[in-house]
Amino acid sequence: MITINKCSICKNKIEVEPISGWTGGHNPWPIQDKGRCCTECNDELVIPARLTMALGITVKEAHKLNKEINNVNANKV
């Protein structure tokens, strides 16, 4: 079992994922090369940064796209 307690970005506690029970947080790349991050930092910083790099879109567009993806995924649960 992974026992990472704090987000390497914001230093807040990494919470247990409610659906899966996962306690290990998320990969923080490209914001950081090491550690794990919380869901909030993943959603607000990491995923938009990845979308910006991969798709060549603005950070604002990346945030909008990420919210749309999260809404679709939430409706599937």
Side-chain angles (χ1 to χ4, degrees), residues 4 10 14 17-18 20 26-28 35-37 39-40 44 50 54 56-57 65 67 71-73 76-77:
I4 307 284
C10 71
I14 293 177
E17 291 292 320
S20 68
H26 305 271
N27 180 342
R36 304 298 286 178
C37 70
T39 297
E40 185 174 341
E44 296 297 321
R50 290 179 185 167
I57 59 178
L65 180 58
K67 286 182 182 183
N71 287 337
V72 169
N73 288 337
K76 289 182 180 180
V77 176

Side-chain angles (χ1 to χ4, degrees), residues 4-70:
I4 307 284
N5 294 5
K6 289 189 177 184
C7 174
S8 59
I9 298 171
C10 71
K11 308 302 182 208
N12 289 332
K13 182 180 177 185
I14 293 177
E15 300 293 335
V16 175
E17 291 292 320
I19 295 173
S20 68
W22 176 250
T23 60
H26 305 271
N27 180 342
W29 182 88
I31 303 300
Q32 291 186 332
D33 290 332
K34 295 182 181 180
R36 304 298 286 178
C37 70
C38 66
T39 297
E40 185 174 341
C41 286
N42 188 61
D43 290 347
E44 296 297 321
L45 300 170
V46 175
I47 298 299
R50 290 179 185 167
L51 290 170
T52 299
M53 290 171 55
L55 302 177
I57 59 178
T58 67
V59 173
K60 185 176 180 177
E61 292 169 323
H63 277 281
K64 182 179 177 185
L65 180 58
N66 190 42
K67 286 182 182 183
E68 290 173 11
I69 292 167
N70 284 336

